[in-house]
Amino acid sequence: NAGVTQTPKFQVLKTGQSMTLQCAQDMNHEYMSWYRQDPGMGLRLIHYSVGAGITDQGEVPNGYNVSRSTTEDFPLRLLSAAPSQTSVYFCASSYPGTSEQYFGPGTRLTVT
Amino acid sequence: KNEVEQSPQNLTAQEGEFITINCSYSVGISALHWLQQHPGGGIVSLFMLSSGKKKHGRLIATINIQEKHSSLHITASHPRDSAVYICAVMGGATNKLIFGTGTLLAVQP
């Protein structure tokens, strides 16, 4: 199993550009989530999904969209990038309930 | 006040020392996770606890549900243990995690 994969690993955007961060998992996990990690702060939940076709907002959803058309994929879209979205983004997946979390390798995004 | 507090924020140890990292939380939880993040690296799950104690190699994690407290212990620490250790709690009936800010551990040879 590849586990949780994320692409790209690094990205530089200009303010106002849009892009999609890709996340995929091959473990048939129902639960997938996106987090951002900023210096001095714990990881914060952006959006999550409890299954294909179902998504919901987390703690910091503004400026981001998600969709879950398949169990495997959970892309995160930045609609109009802002410098405040400079961060490291992690995708994670798990089975429902109390279950081990599997994290992707992260995407380091810089918005200038 | 953060719902998940870790201490210390930074810890420097000499190789071979016994290390303890603490995590306190203020919400009801269904499980607590300890995660490890190496510099520039991804995040790896070390333990998931809902009660008692778990051991894996030189790592031991304990949780006291009544006191809302968990500890991560590293015995015979080694420079390769240098990383950020993150405590995260899972509340209620969802898989949502609330994270602490992490403890940066440096083990010197």
Side-chain angles (χ1 to χ4, degrees):
Chain A
N1 287 349
V4 181
T5 58
Q6 288 183 238
T7 55
K9 284 190 167 49
F10 301 94
Q11 182 71 50
V12 179
L13 290 178
K14 294 189 188 306
T15 297
Q17 288 184 316
S18 63
M19 78 159 295
T20 299
L21 307 185
Q22 300 292 344
C23 175
Q25 51 90 11
D26 61 358
M27 297 172 282
N28 204 32
H29 286 164
E30 293 179 44
Y31 193 90
M32 296 186 74
S33 50
W34 276 103
Y35 299 93
R36 59 178 289 172
Q37 185 178 40
D38 301 295
M41 305 183 75
L43 279 84
R44 292 182 292 167
L45 181 64
I46 304 171
H47 285 284
Y48 67 99
S49 168
V50 299
I54 306 169
T55 63
D56 206 347
Q57 296 181 349
E59 183 184 353
V60 287
N62 291 343
Y64 308 94
N65 272 356
V66 292
S67 60
R68 185 94 180 272
S69 56
T70 67
T71 299
E72 294 77 20
D73 299 297
F74 190 43
L76 178 73
R77 296 184 189 85
L78 278 70
L79 308 173
S80 177
S84 61
Q85 294 178 304
T86 294
S87 188
V88 181
Y89 292 85
F90 288 96
C91 178
S93 73
S94 68
Y95 291 113
T98 53
S99 172
E100 184 175 353
Q101 302 285 314
Y102 293 83
F103 288 83
T107 295
R108 185 173 295 274
L109 175 68
T110 302
V111 183
T112 61
Chain B
K1 189 178 189 302
N2 292 338
E3 292 169 299
V4 180
E5 297 274 359
Q6 286 185 236
S7 64
Q9 287 187 316
N10 295 281
L11 180 57
T12 300
Q14 295 298 312
E15 184 173 357
E17 285 186 1
F18 180 85
I19 290 164
T20 296
I21 300 170
N22 296 299
C23 176
S24 296
Y25 53 92
S26 58
V27 296
I29 70 168
S30 54
L32 182 144
H33 295 254
W34 280 104
L35 309 166
Q36 182 191 56
Q37 184 176 27
H38 282 282
I43 299 170
V44 175
S45 177
L46 297 175
F47 295 103
M48 183 184 67
L49 295 162
S50 53
S51 65
K53 175 179 173 178
K54 285 190 176 180
K55 184 176 190 291
H56 184 233
R58 295 180 294 105
L59 301 178
I60 303 166
T62 64
I63 188 168
N64 185 316
I65 297 293
Q66 287 72 31
E67 294 186 4
K68 295 187 174 178
H69 181 268
S70 175
S71 293
L72 176 68
H73 305 286
I74 304 175
T75 62
S77 59
H78 190 276
R80 65 175 174 266
D81 297 326
S82 299
V84 175
Y85 292 85
I86 302 169
C87 171
V89 300
M90 180 177 291
T94 73
N95 281 47
K96 290 186 192 179
L97 290 173
I98 306 170
F99 293 82
T101 55
T103 295
L104 176 59
L105 171 66
V107 181
Q108 297 179 342

